[in-house]
Amino acid sequence: MLGRQGAGKGTQCTRLSRHFVVPHISTGDMLRAAVKEGTEFGRKAQEYMSAGELLPDDVIIGVVEERLVKDDTRNRGYILDGFPRTLSQAQSLAEITAGQPLDLVVDLDVPTEVVLVRLASRRVCVDCGANYSVQVPPKHGWTCDHCGGDVIQRADDTEDAIKRRLAIYEAETAPLIQWYEERGLLMVVDGDGDTDAVTARLIRAIDSARR
Ligand code: ADP
């Protein structure tokens, strides 16, 4: 799943993974879990993440490669969220998945003006990653409706880090849209509007591609 920061990839991929009963592999979630565990790797990752920078390609490729050899992905397939983000990551992914190539690449398209507003008001659960916003907060204080975890503003949702991440998206990740289009894998889905309507659009698009 490609798309700008704040396009709703995390929310939509979680829903799609339940609908299609396949694992949701989010590099951002995997890195945040490592940060929370306080491992040496987590500490390094946090430096990049809070600055809004990408981790070095070889590091993140290693993380994804390790995850994709697990049985659940081989048997059921998977949804990949947050990877690839650079041409070199896309090329490595093609090599890693040569035996079982990607079926489809979705660009969840939301204009920059809209994601800027969403990111500024986004709040997330530190435990399960569920997404909320200032407009749609949890039911009871800032406690997650799903798991009771604390709901906070992400450290990289500051104005400076948001600008940096969106600039990197345009420079490094947006070219992948054309790259996948040239390979006949791309489907663009409008991610603007009501969350349920976007989910329905995605399911329709994926079903039609599978047929
Ligand atoms: P966002 O898409 O809003 O940046 P994510 O949760 O997907 O949020 O990722 C958070 C951070 O994790 C990124 O800013 C980056 O530092 C790191 N990261 C995630 N995926 C990758 C990747 N494929 N390559 C390099 N760094 C990554």
Side-chain angles (χ1 to χ4, degrees):
M1 178 86 66
L2 297 175
R4 290 191 175 84
Q5 288 75 6
K9 295 189 298 290
T11 302
Q12 296 297 342
C13 288
T14 303
R15 290 168 167 222
L16 293 175
S17 95
R18 289 194 195 121
H19 179 86
F20 292 107
V21 198
V22 292
H24 168 201
I25 301 178
S26 155
T27 45
D29 287 350
M30 287 160 77
L31 296 174
R32 277 185 290 278
V35 170
K36 215 172 149 212
E37 276 170 27
T39 58
E40 177 59 26
F41 171 68
R43 272 195 293 279
K44 286 229 176 76
Q46 188 168 31
E47 286 173 24
Y48 290 97
M49 294 168 79
S50 44
E53 297 288 339
L54 294 181
L55 268 74
D57 281 335
D58 57 333
V59 175
I60 194 80
I61 289 165
V63 170
V64 170
E65 194 165 13
E66 240 173 63
R67 179 65 187 86
L68 290 186
V69 296
K70 299 218 168 116
D71 280 350
D72 61 342
T73 67
R74 296 200 164 188
N75 302 335
R76 299 209 44 88
Y78 52 90
I79 302 171
L80 204 47
D81 161 11
F83 185 94
R85 289 192 198 211
T86 65
L87 199 52
S88 145
Q89 292 180 17
Q91 284 160 343
S92 296
L93 182 63
E95 283 164 26
I96 295 168
T97 58
Q100 227 177 352
L102 298 188
D103 296 315
L104 181 67
V105 176
V106 175
D107 174 27
L108 186 59
D109 188 31
V110 178
T112 307
E113 315 85 77
V114 177
V115 299
L116 277 173
V117 176
R118 287 191 191 175
L119 289 169
S121 69
R122 168 159 84 175
R123 300 292 182 271
V124 294
C125 171
V126 288
D127 288 333
C128 74
N131 273 292
Y132 299 91
S133 68
V134 173
Q135 292 77 23
V136 188
K139 293 194 183 74
H140 307 287
W142 289 99
T143 301
C144 180
D145 293 342
H146 306 287
C147 75
D150 287 339
V151 174
I152 58 144
Q153 181 162 34
R154 254 170 60 170
D156 58 351
D157 278 347
T158 59
E159 207 181 321
D160 281 351
I162 289 171
K163 276 199 198 128
R164 181 84 194 116
R165 281 150 65 212
L166 285 170
I168 294 176
Y169 178 86
E170 297 306 333
E172 306 270 353
T173 312
L176 297 184
I177 295 170
Q178 197 191 333
W179 198 79
Y180 281 118
E181 187 167 27
E182 286 162 8
R183 282 154 185 79
L185 285 171
L186 187 78
M187 189 166 248
V188 181
V189 173
D190 180 7
D192 200 358
D194 178 71
T195 312
D196 291 341
V198 174
T199 308
R201 252 176 247 154
L202 282 164
I203 291 173
R204 265 202 308 278
I206 294 168
D207 280 342
S208 76
R210 289 169 104 201
R211 275 197 296 275

